[in-house]
C-alpha cells in the first residue's frame, strides 16, 4: 500500500506526529532568529500611545520594491497602535542589547518609558538611540494569519550602527554569532 501525501506513513516517520501548540513551539525554539524592536507613534487623533515590541519574526520580503515584514498577535497591547500606524521603525539589536529586547517584550508596561533611550524620528516614529541597524518604514499591508497579523512595510530611510555582532534568540536564550578559530562562525550564548 502506498501512502498518500495527505496521510503520512507513521511507520516510516516515527519522529513525526500531529502538530499541537507545544510541538509547534518546540520546533521553532530550534530556529535561531535575529532580534529586533519595532516602534510606532501613537495616532494623533486618538488616545493610542506610542508603542514598541520585540519581534523575532522580522524578515526581508522583496528587493524591488524593498519590503519587510514582521508578525504580531492581534491580542498584543501594541496591535491597536500598529494597526493605525502609517509609519514605523524597525531596530536590529546587537550583542549586549539583551535588556532592550526584554524591556520591549514585557507585557503591561510603557516599554518606551521604561527603556528611556529614544527620540522622535522622521514621521514621528520613536527611534531607539542605539541599534545595529534601523529602518523607518511606511506600512503597506496587514495580512491576517491565524491569531496573528503579518505587517508588510516599505523601508523609506535606513541607518547602520556600530559594527558589532547581531543579537540572536535560540532555544529560549539570547546568543550571538561569534567567530571561532578554524570555523567561520558559531553560536555563543550571551545570556
Amino acid at each position: 500500500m502506498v501512502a498518500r501525501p495527505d496521510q503520512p506513513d507513521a511507520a516510516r516517520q516515527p519522529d513525526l506526529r500531529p502538530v499541537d501548540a507545544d510541538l509547534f513551539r518546540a520546533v521553532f525554539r530550534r530556529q535561531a532568529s535575529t532580534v529586533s524592536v519595532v516602534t510606532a507613534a501613537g495616532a494623533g487623533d486618538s488616545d493610542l500611545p506610542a508603542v514598541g515590541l520585540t519581534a523575532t519574526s522580522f524578515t526581508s520580503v522583496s528587493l524591488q520594491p524593498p519590503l519587510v515584514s514582521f508578525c504580531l498577535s492581534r491580542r498584543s497591547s501594541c496591535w491597536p497602535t500598529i494597526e493605525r500606524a502609517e509609519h514605523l521603525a524597525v531596530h536590529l539589536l546587537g550583542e549586549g542589547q539583551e535588556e532592550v529586547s526584554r524591556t520591549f517584550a514585557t507585557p503591561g508596561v510603557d516599554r518606551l518609558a521604561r527603556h528611556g533611550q529614544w527620540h522622535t524620528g522622521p514621521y514621528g516614529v520613536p527611534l531607539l538611540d542605539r541599534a545595529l541597524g534601523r529602518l523607518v518604514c511606511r506600512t503597506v499591508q496587514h495580512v491576517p494569519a491565524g491569531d496573528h497579523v503579518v505587517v508588510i512595510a516599505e523601508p523609506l530611510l535606513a541607518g547602520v550602527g556600530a559594527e558589532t555582532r547581531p543579537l540572536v534568540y535560540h532555544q529560549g536564550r539570547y546568543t550571538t554569532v561569534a567567530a571561532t578559530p578554524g570555523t567561520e562562525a558559531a553560536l555563543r550564548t550571551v545570556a
Side-chain angles (χ1 to χ4, degrees):
M1 179 173 178
V2 176
R4 296 187 345 220
D6 62 335
Q7 294 180 342
D9 182 355
R12 291 189 332 205
Q13 304 294 328
D15 63 324
L16 297 177
R17 60 184 194 268
V19 175
D20 62 18
D22 291 335
L23 179 57
F24 189 73
R25 279 190 290 272
V27 169
F28 276 91
R29 273 194 297 269
R30 285 155 175 79
Q31 176 182 347
S33 302
T34 58
V35 182
S36 58
V37 169
V38 177
T39 58
D45 60 345
S46 73
D47 292 332
L48 294 175
V51 297
L53 63 119
T54 297
T56 56
S57 61
F58 175 71
T59 189
S60 63
V61 173
S62 169
L63 187 57
Q64 292 298 325
L67 294 173
V68 296
S69 72
F70 66 95
C71 300
L72 174 66
S73 170
R74 284 185 255 190
R75 293 181 306 217
S76 168
S77 61
C78 296
W79 172 237
T81 298
I82 297 287
E83 181 180 29
R84 295 191 57 190
E86 292 181 33
H87 296 90
L88 51 88
V90 180
H91 307 81
L92 304 177
L93 299 187
E95 181 177 34
Q97 293 189 294
E98 299 84 8
E99 194 55 39
V100 176
S101 176
R102 286 186 186 101
T103 296
F104 284 95
T106 303
V109 300
D110 182 339
R111 298 166 184 166
L112 286 164
R114 181 175 277 187
H115 177 61
Q117 299 173 26
W118 64 278
H119 61 278
T120 302
Y123 307 102
V125 299
L127 292 180
L128 304 186
D129 290 346
R130 289 186 22 210
L132 184 62
R134 62 181 166 205
L135 300 167
V136 175
C137 304
R138 179 180 65 85
T139 302
V140 172
Q141 188 176 9
H142 298 140
V143 180
D147 61 357
H148 277 57
V149 174
V150 180
V151 178
I152 300 173
E154 175 188 18
L156 303 174
L157 302 166
V160 177
E163 188 71 29
T164 187
R165 295 182 287 236
L167 183 63
V168 176
Y169 196 70
H170 181 251
Q171 290 284 25
R173 293 184 305 247
Y174 291 102
T175 66
T176 189
V177 177
T180 57
T183 64
E184 291 196 24
L187 287 178
R188 178 174 63 85
T189 300
V190 293

